[in-house]
Amino acid sequence: MGVTKTEIFTEQQNRIADLAKAFSHPARVAILQLIVERKACICGDLVEELELAQATVSQHLKELKRIGIIQGEINPPRVCYCINPVVWQEAQESFGTLLNTFVLTTACCN
Amino acid sequence: MGVTKTEIFTEQQNRIADLAKAFSHPARVAILQLIVERKACICGDLVEELELAQATVSQHLKELKRIGIIQGEINPPRVCYCINPVVWQEAQESFGTLLNTFVLTTACCN
DNA sequence: TTGGTTAAATGTATTATTGCGATTAATTCT
DNA sequence: AGAATTAATCGCAATAATACATTTAACCAA
């Protein structure tokens, strides 16, 4: 996306943006939902469920791993992915806090 | 980003991805935080606070408007932006529900 | 060793995103 | 009417993201 000027924002703002990226593509939402639903998933199962090529799924998994919200356990020749509870909880708290800063009664300029 | 295959995902998954986009860039996080904090913001104030050009801020505002999470009231020659309570609540519920599907006790493949 | 299986990595094409200068549009104020 | 103010839009350059075919790597089994 062109060059995001991360240096002019706070750590917190950059981290929230990064966590939000985990959910900002429907394929990643679907992947996370499947992993949660089944407790864990091997890559091949995800490829079967989603109508996406193996390379594409693998790339989304890589991005989710970069963010930290999933972790992969190598179980040759498979890799089993599961939620990283620590980061998942971080997401819960971050979004929860941010979304709760706005209270409905203090709405608007209308 | 290449062509996201929205048609192979559910409405819900696509909507969550879209809502997450509101938070997936630190500038937009900062903008939303400022609007919430001050109840409302005119574009010029945001440009002053953030070290970004007016055109850039305007574009982020446009994206946030597209998603629906903010709304702009024209108050010439200014525009006053504020949170759209309906969509904000939708985000609360969507993320809340999704993030609560995972319970810590049912963790992992480790 | 030789396959077979699975997933990561690589390379490529395409499209989206970011950021900004410059321009334009809309509306006040004088 | 003319000047000033404010924000949207346009156009551009640079970079990131999507998607996939193909190749590579890692491992097990026979």
Side-chain angles (χ1 to χ4, degrees):
Chain A
M1 348 174 152
V3 190
T4 297
K5 296 171 109 185
T6 50
E7 72 280 4
I8 68 172
F9 302 106
T10 67
E11 277 294 324
Q12 188 220 32
Q13 286 164 342
N14 283 310
R15 179 58 176 159
I16 285 187
D18 226 32
L19 286 170
K21 268 186 205 162
F23 300 97
S24 70
H25 191 286
R28 290 195 289 272
V29 174
I31 288 171
L32 289 170
Q33 286 178 326
L34 281 168
I35 293 179
V36 167
E37 189 182 308
R38 304 181 170 195
K39 268 65 169 182
C41 271
I42 62 175
C43 177
D45 292 348
L46 296 169
V47 174
E48 266 183 53
E49 288 289 335
L50 311 170
E51 306 175 41
L52 289 172
Q54 181 266 322
T56 306
V57 173
S58 199
Q59 199 172 327
H60 283 300
L61 289 169
K62 184 181 177 182
E63 174 68 1
L64 291 170
K65 262 191 296 183
R66 183 192 65 75
I67 296 165
I69 203 162
I70 65 168
Q71 54 199 188
E73 168 111 339
I74 296 171
N75 194 347
R78 282 158 243 253
V79 179
C80 175
Y81 288 101
C82 59
I83 300 295
N84 180 332
V86 176
V87 177
W88 189 272
Q89 199 166 8
E90 182 197 354
Q92 277 182 315
E93 285 167 8
S94 296
F95 288 118
T97 301
L98 177 53
L99 288 167
N100 281 327
T101 53
F102 175 74
V103 285
L104 291 175
T105 47
T106 50
C108 224
C109 43
N110 300 326
Chain B
M1 347 175 142
V3 190
T4 296
K5 298 170 109 183
T6 50
E7 71 279 3
I8 67 173
F9 302 106
T10 67
E11 277 294 325
Q12 186 219 33
Q13 287 164 341
N14 284 310
R15 180 58 177 159
I16 285 188
D18 226 31
L19 287 170
K21 269 187 204 161
F23 301 96
S24 70
H25 192 287
R28 289 195 288 273
V29 173
I31 288 171
L32 290 170
Q33 286 178 325
L34 281 167
I35 293 179
V36 167
E37 189 182 308
R38 304 180 169 195
K39 268 64 168 183
C41 270
I42 62 175
C43 177
D45 292 348
L46 296 169
V47 175
E48 267 183 52
E49 288 288 336
L50 311 170
E51 305 174 43
L52 289 171
Q54 182 265 321
T56 306
V57 173
S58 199
Q59 198 170 330
H60 283 301
L61 289 169
K62 184 181 178 184
E63 174 68 0
L64 291 171
K65 261 192 297 183
R66 182 191 65 76
I67 295 164
I69 203 162
I70 66 169
Q71 54 198 188
E73 168 111 339
I74 295 170
N75 194 349
R78 282 158 243 252
V79 178
C80 176
Y81 287 101
C82 59
I83 300 296
N84 181 332
V86 176
V87 178
W88 189 273
Q89 199 168 7
E90 182 196 354
Q92 278 183 314
E93 286 168 8
S94 295
F95 288 118
T97 301
L98 177 53
L99 288 167
N100 281 327
T101 53
F102 176 74
V103 284
L104 291 174
T105 46
T106 49
C108 225
C109 42
N110 300 326

